[in-house]
């Protein structure tokens, strides 16, 4: 392979990216060296097993990915604004919509949510860490290395261009001969390991690490939604693992699972992909539902309405989510009976979803509402998500879907559910739990600017797409003619897209601004909130709770505060030493080896993949022989820490 | 937490918090493994008959080799159970003996399987021959790769047993790896039925 095949050449945009990547790297290395921060970085962050720090790292990575995916999005909008535009060529456009979709779902939405779950869930259930802290670090680093592997494709070797759904034969060897599709397969495979481990880890954490006094039916709604999400992950992700592996075999070792010859079955890929893919969209929406529940209840100053209905509806959604996958290819010849069955199961999902919407509305009803930024995002979610859901039901009617399928109508649907569901939730959750993570709040004024601009931009960008779809504009086209009559709505959409970009930049600026100027928290409970994470002091000590809290019902912390007001202060018990797990460098090193193995496979450099795999196995052996049992935090240290923090 | 008194009937591996958590987590992991193998089985069954002009299974499968493999693996599951029995009776010697037998049987199984694969390839049925054989090799091969991993993993645990004897930590590892081993046995029964028996009567 020649060097100019290895590095992507010829496009000024790519050269710009090369330069900015190089500059960022040099800048980071310089700053770390200049301020002598390497050791700090290694001992405090890269080797950490603390769920709060891992959560923060997840969120930082996710925001970076949101930026990358957002740039992709704006490039696409720029191309589509006017007819016959030659800003991007067809192949470049294909690459961009592929990386945009993949990055947003796998490397932005999921890590953002998993990051917030990491920070919040152990605190909500009164735990000092997760069930398997070491595995938690492995989860993060495999996700991170998978994401990096996928992301370098656009400067080294070329990006995948067959869509995030990677349908064959388009994604097969004949029609996608380059290495791009291999990046997709290996990047997702490596990150998928991490997701599966997260699923197991948090399932056991929520079931077994709760304070003994907290019953299942008293868990905060975000914890419940996380629990159900983990069950979906455990059963859905192995399907993705297999599907990716089979396509990898097809491409690298000449097997015939999805080929057009020798008995291969392209439709098998579509089925496997969506058997994972539909549950996946619920993996990214259920935690969002959980967050909105917490935030709405906190700022309406009421207990969540219909707690049990909320839980059961999520269980039903999780079950149904495995029974609807065919609705993604009604048009691919499944026949009337099959289509009808999946049409009905799909429409059924709208029922439990509707139940949840009404529960949020009833929680708001007669509440004394405080319009914080977190609450604004949650309030905007309700009407916007309803639009996405109603159009989802329209798509669910198999016969009608022949009209909508593969048009901008579909694009509008899934952005209405994913952005006003998942992305609003990530922003709401970020504003809400920010003081828990960083000990200061995000500025509310900037927050509201960013909120209004983003929400206005979102609706301007995606609402017109429903009409573009009805007017026949297909998705995934790189340009159109003037005679098609789609220009004015496209101009509007691009304008909306730019507003979303501005809203996002204000959010990023707000992070900087608040770091500089926001007053530090003086209490652990800035919002007068209801669940146990707010009972921890500011800043949260690394062992979370000096004494394990007691949960006496729903909204455990609220009950504690009420009792305190009535003068029933809990008696002061003496501290006991606390057992904590040790940090470890093994997870990051193991994941680097995964990266090396993956990179070798992308280019079919077998010596390199074997080297990487040997490294992975070696780190596993090292781990197996490691009998480190963690350490005890002494009573003196606890006393010292508790004095410094403020409750 | 570690200082809680346990009744003498509580097995060593259940006496520590870590032990209980890890065992539960491993059961959950096996749930994910079931999803993984189910997907592979579904793929295989969908591809049955899609031999694309190449040989079919009924021409190549031979009952004798498969029966030997089955016999070896099923017996190894039994001896693995004996190892746990001796572990519960605090007999390190018994554990070594029966795990040793288990690993030997596992290696025997692998040997026959590799021989079988090589034989098929000689007869013109390889991963690249047709969709059917791709499905066959990946399903049965994934099981075989699991067995290989299991043998390597259990060998490492044997070293640790040698170094440390029977402690809550080492017994936990032995117990968990035994769950894994039994699981692979169960998967094999499905392979025996859905792949070999079904393939021979097709
Ligand atoms: C009321 C509930 C929902 C219903 C009835 C529904 C229905 C559908 C249907 C029928 C399709 C396929 C349409 C076609 O390809 O022609 C679809 C696509 C899609 N939906 Fe939904 N949906 C619902 C909720 C959601 C949620 C909550 C999410 C994610 C958070 C979501 C994300 C997606 C995505 C990403 C696609 C398209 C993927 C692609 O083809 O690239 N949907 N939906
Ligand atoms: Cu779907």
């Amino acid at each position: 392979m020649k060097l100019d095949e290895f590095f992507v050449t010829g496009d000024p945009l790519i050269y710009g990216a090369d330069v900015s990547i190089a500059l960022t790297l040099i800048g980071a290395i310089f700053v770390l060296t200049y301020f002598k921060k390497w050791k700090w970085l290694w001992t405090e962050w890269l080797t950490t097993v603390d769920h709060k720090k891992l959560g923060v790292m997840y969120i930082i990575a996710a925001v970076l990915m949101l930026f990358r995916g957002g740039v992709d999005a704006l490039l696409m909008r720029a191309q589509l604004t006017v007819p016959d535009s030659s800003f991007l060529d067809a192949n470049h456009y294909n690459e961009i919509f592929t990386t945009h979709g993949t990055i947003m779902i796998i490397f932005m939405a999921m890590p953002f949510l998993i990051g917030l779950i990491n920070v919040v869930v152990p605190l909500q259930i009164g735990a000092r860490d997760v069930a398997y802290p070491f595995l938690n670090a492995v989860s993060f680093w495999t996700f991170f290395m998978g994401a990096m592997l996928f992301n370098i494709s656009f400067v080294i070797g070329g990006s995948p261009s067959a869509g995030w759904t990677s349908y064959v034969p388009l994604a097969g060897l004949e029609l996608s001969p380059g290495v791009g599709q291999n990046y997709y397969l290996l990047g997702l495979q490596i990150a998928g390991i991490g997701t599966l481990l997260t699923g197991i880890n948090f399932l056991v954490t929520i079931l077994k690490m709760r304070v003994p006094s907290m019953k299942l039916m008293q868990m905060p709604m975000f914890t419940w939604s996380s629990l159900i999400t983990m069950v979906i992950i455990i059963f859905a992700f192995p399907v993705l693992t297999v599907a990716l592996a089979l396509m990898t075999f097809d491409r690298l070792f000449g097997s015939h699972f999805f080929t057009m010859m020798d008995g291969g079955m392209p439709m098998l890929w579509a089925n496997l992909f969506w058997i994972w893919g539909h549950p996946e969209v619920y993996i990214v929406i259920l935690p969002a539902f959980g967050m909105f529940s917490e935030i709405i209840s906190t700022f309406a100053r009421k207990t969540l309405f219909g707690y049990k209905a909320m839980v059961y509806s999520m269980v039903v959604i999780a079950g149904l989510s495995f029974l609807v996958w065919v609705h993604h290819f009604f048009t691919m010849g499944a026949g009337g009976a099959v289509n009808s069955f999946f049409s009905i199961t799909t429409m059924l999902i709208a029922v439990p979803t509707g139940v949840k919407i009404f529960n949020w509305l009833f929680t708001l009803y007669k509440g004394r509402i405080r319009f914080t930024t977190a609450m604004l995002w949650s309030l905007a979610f309700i009407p916007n998500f309803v639009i996405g859901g109603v159009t989802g039901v329209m798509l669910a009617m198999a016969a009608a879907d022949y009209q909508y399928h593969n048009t901008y109508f579909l694009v509008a649907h899934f952005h209405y559910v994913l952005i006003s569901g998942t992305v609003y939730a990530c922003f709401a959750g970020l504003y809400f739990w920010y003081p828990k993570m960083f000990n200061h709040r995000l500025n509310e004024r900037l927050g509201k600017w960013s909120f209004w601009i983003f929400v206005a931009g979102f609706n301007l960008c995606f609402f017109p797409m429903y009409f573009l779809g009805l007017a026949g504009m297909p998705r995934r086209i790189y340009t159109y003619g003037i005679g098609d009559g789609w220009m004015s709505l496209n101009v509007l959409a691009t304008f909306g897209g730019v507003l979303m970009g501005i809203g996002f930049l204000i959010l990023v600026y707000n992070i900087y601004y608040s770091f500089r100027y926001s007053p530090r928290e003086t209490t652990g409970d800035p919002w007068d909130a209801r669940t146990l994470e707010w009972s921890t002091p500011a800043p949260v000590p690394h062992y979370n709770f000096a004494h394990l809290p007691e949960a006496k019902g729903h909204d455990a912390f609220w009950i504690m505060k009420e009792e305190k007001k009535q003068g029933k202060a809990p008696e002061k018990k003496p501290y006991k030493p606390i057992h904590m797990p040790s940090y470890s460098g093994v997870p990051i090193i193991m994941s680097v080896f995964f990266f090396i193995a993956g990179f070798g496979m992308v280019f079919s450099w077998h010596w390199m993949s074997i080297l990487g795999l040997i490294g992975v196995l070696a780190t596993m052996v090292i781990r197996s022989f490691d009998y480190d049992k963690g350490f005890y935090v002494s009573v003196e240290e606890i006393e010292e820490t508790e004095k410094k923090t403020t409750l | 937490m570690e200082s809680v008194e346990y009744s003498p009937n509580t097995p060593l591996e259940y006496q520590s918090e870590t032990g209980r958590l890890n065992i539960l987590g491993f059961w959950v992991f096996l749930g994910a493994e079931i999803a993984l193998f189910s997907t592979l089985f579904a793929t295989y069954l969908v591809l049955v008959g899609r031999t694309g002009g190449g040989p079919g299974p009924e021409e190549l499968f031979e009952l004798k080799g498969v029966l030997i493999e089955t016999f070896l693996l099923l017996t190894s599951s039994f001896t693995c159970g004996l190892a746990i029995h001796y572990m519960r009776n605090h007999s390190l010697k018994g554990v070594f003996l029966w795990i040793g037998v288990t690993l030997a049987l596992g290696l025997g199984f692998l040997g026959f399987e590799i021989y079988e694969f090589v034989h098929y390839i000689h007869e013109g049925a390889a991963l690249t021959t047709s969709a059917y054989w791709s499905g066959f090799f990946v399903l049965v091969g994934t099981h075989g790769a699991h067995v290989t991993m299991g043998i390597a993993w259990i060998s490492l645990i044997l070293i640790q047993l040698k170094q440390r004897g029977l402690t809550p930590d080492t017994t936990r590892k032995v117990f968990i790896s035994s769950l894994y081993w039994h699981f692979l046995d169960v998967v094999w029964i499905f392979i025996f039925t859905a792949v070999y028996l079904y393939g021979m009567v097709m």
Side-chain angles (χ1 to χ4, degrees):
Chain A
M1 172 172 287
K2 287 194 224 74
L3 211 57
D4 65 332
E5 285 169 23
F6 185 68
F7 290 111
V8 178
T9 50
D11 189 315
L13 280 172
I14 301 281
Y15 288 134
D18 286 337
V19 172
S20 61
I21 291 175
L23 285 181
T24 318
L25 274 180
I26 294 171
I29 292 173
F30 175 76
V31 169
L32 285 167
T33 315
Y34 187 80
F35 291 101
K36 301 203 173 65
K37 287 287 187 192
W38 282 104
K39 186 144 184 274
W40 166 84
L41 187 70
W42 177 259
T43 51
E44 292 289 314
W45 291 94
L46 302 187
T47 57
T48 187
V49 297
D50 181 335
H51 68 96
K52 301 180 287 298
K53 288 185 176 169
L54 288 169
V56 168
M57 291 199 287
Y58 264 116
I59 293 170
I60 293 172
V63 172
L64 287 176
M65 288 297 108
L66 181 56
F67 178 75
R68 155 83 210 261
V71 171
D72 283 349
L74 288 179
L75 289 173
M76 287 189 283
R77 281 317 319 159
Q79 166 68 17
L80 290 178
T81 316
V82 290
D84 299 316
S85 160
S86 55
F87 174 58
L88 301 173
D89 62 40
N91 187 49
H92 200 177
Y93 187 86
N94 292 350
E95 293 185 356
I96 290 181
F97 75 64
T98 302
T99 53
H100 166 78
T102 314
I103 286 178
M104 285 303 202
I105 299 237
I106 309 276
F107 300 130
M108 190 288 286
M110 266 204 304
F112 211 132
L113 297 167
I114 290 180
L116 286 164
I117 290 173
N118 256 286
V119 173
V120 176
V121 165
L123 293 172
Q124 279 198 331
I125 59 176
R128 288 184 171 133
D129 208 321
V130 295
Y132 317 113
F134 177 90
L135 272 194
N136 207 11
V138 176
S139 287
F140 171 75
W141 287 110
T142 45
F143 142 69
F144 185 79
M145 291 300 163
M148 288 303 110
L149 186 61
F150 186 84
N151 268 277
I152 57 171
S153 65
F154 79 113
V155 289
I156 297 178
S159 291
S161 58
W164 84 285
T165 48
S166 284
Y167 282 161
V168 279
L170 181 57
L173 209 47
E174 292 80 26
L175 298 179
S176 298
V179 296
Q181 187 59 27
N182 298 351
Y183 271 117
Y184 171 97
L185 295 168
L186 274 307
L188 264 62
Q189 191 69 280
I190 293 172
I193 301 170
T195 312
L196 180 62
L197 294 180
T198 300
I200 298 172
N201 203 343
F202 277 84
L203 181 82
V204 177
T205 301
I206 296 173
L207 289 180
K208 288 289 167 194
M209 305 287 282
R210 274 174 293 138
V211 277
S213 49
M214 184 183 279
K215 303 197 185 72
L216 267 183
M217 273 299 179
Q218 293 174 345
M219 298 195 308
M221 198 48 64
F222 182 46
T223 299
W224 254 116
S225 69
S226 304
L227 177 68
I228 295 169
T229 306
M230 297 310 146
V231 176
I232 305 183
I233 288 179
I234 289 164
F235 289 108
F237 263 76
V239 183
L240 178 70
T241 305
V242 170
L244 293 171
L246 299 186
M247 194 190 276
T248 311
F249 287 140
D250 271 9
R251 290 181 56 91
L252 300 186
F253 307 123
S255 59
H256 288 286
F257 290 102
F258 312 128
T259 56
M260 302 296 279
M261 282 161 31
D262 295 318
M265 252 179 112
M267 275 313 288
L268 181 60
W269 167 264
N271 278 282
L272 291 180
F273 182 87
W274 286 115
I275 289 174
W276 161 78
H278 189 87
E280 167 67 12
V281 306
Y282 282 91
I283 291 170
V284 296
I285 201 65
L286 289 184
F289 286 171
M291 287 192 237
F292 289 130
S293 302
E294 305 286 4
I295 293 170
I296 288 176
S297 148
T298 299
F299 293 116
R301 287 184 256 200
K302 282 176 63 190
T303 329
L304 190 66
F305 183 89
Y307 179 94
K308 279 196 178 149
M310 285 295 211
V311 174
Y312 292 133
S313 62
M314 279 194 291
V315 174
V316 174
I317 290 178
L320 282 174
S321 78
F322 282 93
L323 297 174
V324 300
W325 77 91
V326 171
H327 68 215
H328 291 280
F329 43 87
F330 282 144
T331 56
M332 295 193 203
V338 172
N339 274 2
S340 310
F341 173 82
F342 284 94
S343 199
I344 291 169
T345 52
T346 304
M347 286 188 236
L348 278 178
I349 287 204
V351 177
T353 315
V355 168
K356 302 187 76 69
I357 299 273
F358 281 107
N359 280 330
W360 289 312
L361 291 177
F362 286 129
T363 308
L364 289 168
Y365 178 67
K366 284 197 172 165
R368 288 167 297 143
I369 295 172
R370 283 177 290 166
F371 293 96
T372 59
T373 310
M375 184 64 164
L376 287 177
W377 286 111
S378 313
L379 292 176
F381 148 76
I382 297 177
N384 272 333
F385 190 82
V386 168
I387 298 175
V390 169
T391 50
V393 177
M394 291 170 71
L395 289 164
M397 291 179 251
D401 185 56
Y402 275 70
Q403 287 299 312
Y404 311 133
H405 182 62
N406 261 359
T407 70
Y408 264 80
F409 191 88
L410 168 70
V411 175
H413 155 70
F414 68 71
H415 284 90
Y416 259 85
V417 280
L418 280 168
I419 295 185
S420 69
T422 309
V423 176
Y424 284 15
C426 289
F427 290 165
L430 191 67
Y431 275 87
F432 188 56
W433 282 296
Y434 206 80
K436 267 291 135 213
M437 293 184 256
F438 298 106
N439 209 24
H440 61 268
R441 278 182 249 189
L442 286 171
N443 182 281
E444 284 284 312
R445 233 166 73 89
L446 284 171
K448 283 173 188 167
W449 273 104
S450 132
F451 165 80
W452 285 110
I453 293 174
F454 192 97
V455 169
F458 164 69
N459 283 287
L460 275 177
C461 184
F462 289 100
F463 204 70
M465 288 188 191
Y466 284 120
F467 297 95
L468 280 171
L470 294 176
M473 181 169 167
R475 74 190 286 203
R476 292 175 175 167
I477 50 164
Y478 84 106
T479 192
Y480 51 92
I482 181 85
D484 293 323
W486 300 326
M487 186 172 125
S488 44
L489 289 179
N490 269 301
V491 172
L492 199 59
T494 302
F495 178 63
V498 171
L499 285 184
M500 290 167 78
I502 296 174
F504 173 73
L505 288 182
I506 298 179
L507 170 73
V508 173
Y509 175 69
N510 195 357
I511 291 176
Y512 166 77
Y513 179 89
S514 308
F515 172 70
R516 291 291 303 269
Y517 303 112
S518 263
R520 304 299 108 161
E521 285 306 310
T522 52
T523 106
D525 179 27
W527 311 113
D528 193 13
R530 316 177 76 83
T531 40
L532 283 180
E533 74 270 33
W534 304 105
S535 75
T536 55
V540 188
H542 65 99
Y543 48 78
N544 293 355
F545 299 94
H547 292 297
L548 288 185
E550 206 189 330
K552 291 187 185 158
H554 296 162
D555 296 341
F557 182 48
W558 190 260
I559 300 178
M560 276 155 84
K561 287 193 283 190
E562 291 295 307
E563 288 189 344
K564 210 170 182 180
K565 272 186 215 151
Q566 294 159 10
K568 276 195 266 173
E571 50 184 310
K572 282 250 179 290
K573 281 173 270 168
Y575 296 123
K576 281 194 208 125
I578 294 172
H579 180 250
M580 294 301 290
S582 314
Y583 284 13
S584 167
V586 174
I588 181 171
I589 296 172
M590 182 192 290
S591 307
V592 168
F593 280 120
F594 267 121
F595 181 96
I596 295 171
F599 192 79
M601 285 180 83
V602 167
F603 286 93
S604 296
W605 296 339
H606 295 304
W607 59 270
M608 194 174 184
S609 6
I610 291 170
L611 205 77
L613 287 178
I614 291 176
V616 171
L617 290 175
T619 45
M620 286 182 181
V621 173
I622 290 174
R623 168 66 182 167
S624 176
F625 279 85
D626 178 3
Y627 276 73
D628 184 303
K629 292 216 152 165
F631 62 96
Y632 278 90
V633 187
S634 67
V635 172
E636 295 84 67
E637 191 193 328
I638 301 173
E639 275 167 355
E640 203 55 28
T641 318
E642 295 295 309
K643 242 183 266 161
K644 266 186 270 168
T645 55
T646 39
L647 200 55
Chain B
M1 249 163 250
E2 312 288 341
S3 59
V4 185
E5 288 290 323
Y6 292 96
S7 96
N9 292 328
T10 310
L12 267 179
E13 66 271 21
Y14 278 99
Q15 285 188 6
S16 74
E17 175 83 20
T18 327
R20 288 189 299 271
L21 281 178
N22 287 15
I23 292 169
L24 176 65
F26 199 79
W27 277 107
V28 179
F29 171 73
L30 289 183
E33 286 270 57
I34 290 175
L36 184 120
F37 275 104
S38 308
T39 314
L40 286 171
F41 273 107
T43 303
Y44 172 81
L45 291 174
V46 163
L47 297 176
V48 163
R50 303 178 77 94
T51 45
E58 67 289 347
E59 300 164 41
L60 295 183
F61 284 173
E62 277 167 29
L63 197 57
K64 194 168 139 233
V66 181
L67 276 180
I68 296 175
E69 284 166 39
T70 309
F71 174 75
L72 289 174
L73 205 64
L74 290 194
T75 317
S76 82
S77 215
F78 176 67
T79 56
C80 179
L82 284 179
I84 299 299
H85 174 75
Y86 279 96
M87 186 173 91
R88 294 275 161 85
N89 286 338
H90 302 280
S91 157
L92 187 58
K93 255 208 190 126
V95 177
F96 269 117
L97 173 66
W98 290 111
I99 290 192
V101 175
T102 307
L103 290 186
L105 291 168
L107 280 172
F109 167 85
L110 269 187
F112 274 94
E113 182 156 80
I114 293 170
Y115 172 80
E116 185 199 331
F117 279 15
V118 172
H119 171 69
Y120 293 156
I121 294 170
H122 273 297
E123 299 287 321
L127 182 77
T128 51
T129 308
S130 66
Y132 171 78
W133 287 106
S134 300
F136 169 85
F137 279 106
V138 170
L139 169 60
V140 184
T142 305
H143 176 267
H146 273 71
V147 174
T148 316
M149 282 293 287
I151 292 175
W153 177 28
I154 295 174
S155 310
L156 290 178
I157 296 174
L158 277 185
I159 300 176
Q160 296 171 26
L161 271 179
K162 180 107 191 132
Q163 291 171 338
R164 294 162 187 274
L166 295 172
T167 69
D169 286 316
T170 52
T171 52
R172 177 191 79 225
K173 293 187 182 199
V174 174
F175 184 72
I176 289 178
S177 63
S178 80
L179 290 180
Y180 182 75
W181 198 261
H182 292 308
F183 170 75
L184 294 181
D185 204 34
V186 175
V187 173
W188 179 259
I189 293 174
F190 280 94
I191 291 183
F192 181 74
T193 320
V195 177
Y196 291 104
L197 287 187
Y198 180 52
M200 274 180 277
V201 299
M202 233 161 30

